[in-house]
Amino acid sequence: PNVGGNIIIPYPGDTAKFILFHQIGNFSSSFPYMDSPEVFYTVIDMNLNGGLGGVITGQKNLIAFSDTLSWGLAACKHANGRDWWIVGIRDASNTIFKILVTQSGISSVTSQTVNMPVPSYGNAGQPCFSPDGTKFAFKNGLNNPSYHDVRMLSFDRCTGMFDSIGYTVRQNEFGFGLSFSPNSRYLYYSSGGHIYQLDTDAPNI
């Protein structure tokens, strides 16, 4: 498994069902590095097995879409309060994929190229949305010299469109963890030796 490569959401409009989105990894022989060739999904019905739940027949390991993807998926509830956005990032790219999940299942898979520098090494970490759904953060890295960036975008939960907030934090250590505070103001991220707190509402982050 890869970092942040599994995420589960309630099935829109059906309180007994859940959808698990998941990735597998391809390891490079030249470096301990991994990307993902597909995003899979599996539908679970909690009414099966006497209420213990189970995978619906024929609804296991279906391919939502295929590409060369980085580690990790993130989920954000649509502004309508029912549907969901599932997000993944193309590896070594500034392209973000967006799966719209509605009552009928996967409604669409679209992509957006955001206004950020393209990393030469790859995206990684735990891509995540703020609890209020207005911000999205992820990491990427370069290996000459070795460092990683933390980048943040604004997000429109109605349209599913991202916009660059235009800020980058560079560290000379690799790290993976990312998380927003419950009030969506602070972003926490880890490097190899430290945990940092950023005030994302500050005029100059």
Side-chain angles (χ1 to χ4, degrees):
N2 55 31
V3 178
N6 297 278
I7 195 161
I8 191 165
I9 61 168
Y11 200 106
D14 192 333
T15 58
K17 293 181 182 178
F18 295 86
I19 307 178
L20 169 66
F21 288 89
H22 45 110
Q23 295 174 300
I24 59 172
N26 284 338
F27 285 88
S28 168
S29 59
S30 61
F31 191 82
Y33 174 72
M34 180 171 63
D35 57 37
S36 176
E38 297 99 6
V39 173
F40 297 92
Y41 68 100
T42 296
V43 183
I44 298 120
D45 187 343
M46 295 307 298
N47 289 324
L48 298 177
N49 296 325
L52 296 176
V55 173
I56 298 174
T57 301
Q59 297 290 299
K60 181 179 181 180
N61 295 338
L62 303 176
I63 297 176
F65 71 95
S66 301
D67 207 284
T68 304
L69 301 162
S70 342
W71 302 348
L73 302 169
C76 181
K77 184 169 279 191
H78 194 284
N80 64 20
R82 180 196 64 214
D83 301 334
W84 287 85
W85 299 102
I86 306 296
V87 169
I89 304 171
R90 178 179 287 156
D91 191 48
S93 169
N94 58 356
T95 297
I96 301 178
F97 290 95
K98 298 168 283 189
I99 304 171
L100 176 59
V101 185
T102 67
Q103 290 175 301
S104 59
I106 293 180
S107 174
S108 65
V109 179
T110 57
S111 64
Q112 178 185 349
T113 300
V114 296
N115 183 25
M116 281 190 168
V118 177
S120 64
Y121 183 60
N123 304 302
Q126 294 176 306
C128 61
F129 286 96
S130 59
D132 64 6
T134 63
K135 302 166 188 172
F136 175 71
F138 66 99
K139 291 186 180 183
N140 61 37
L142 294 171
N143 60 354
N144 187 24
S146 178
Y147 67 81
H148 73 255
D149 289 343
V150 178
R151 299 182 177 181
M152 192 169 69
L153 304 166
S154 62
F155 185 66
D156 187 324
R157 296 193 303 137
C158 292
T159 64
M161 296 299 292
F162 291 95
D163 189 27
S164 174
I165 293 179
Y167 110 92
T168 298
V169 178
R170 178 173 296 180
Q171 294 295 325
N172 293 322
E173 302 172 292
F174 283 113
F176 294 99
L178 278 173
S179 182
F180 280 94
S181 61
N183 65 0
S184 300
R185 177 172 179 174
Y186 298 101
L187 176 64
Y188 296 90
Y189 74 95
S190 65
S191 68
H194 300 85
I195 296 176
Y196 298 88
Q197 174 185 275
L198 300 176
D199 184 352
T200 65
D201 288 344
N204 185 350
I205 301 173

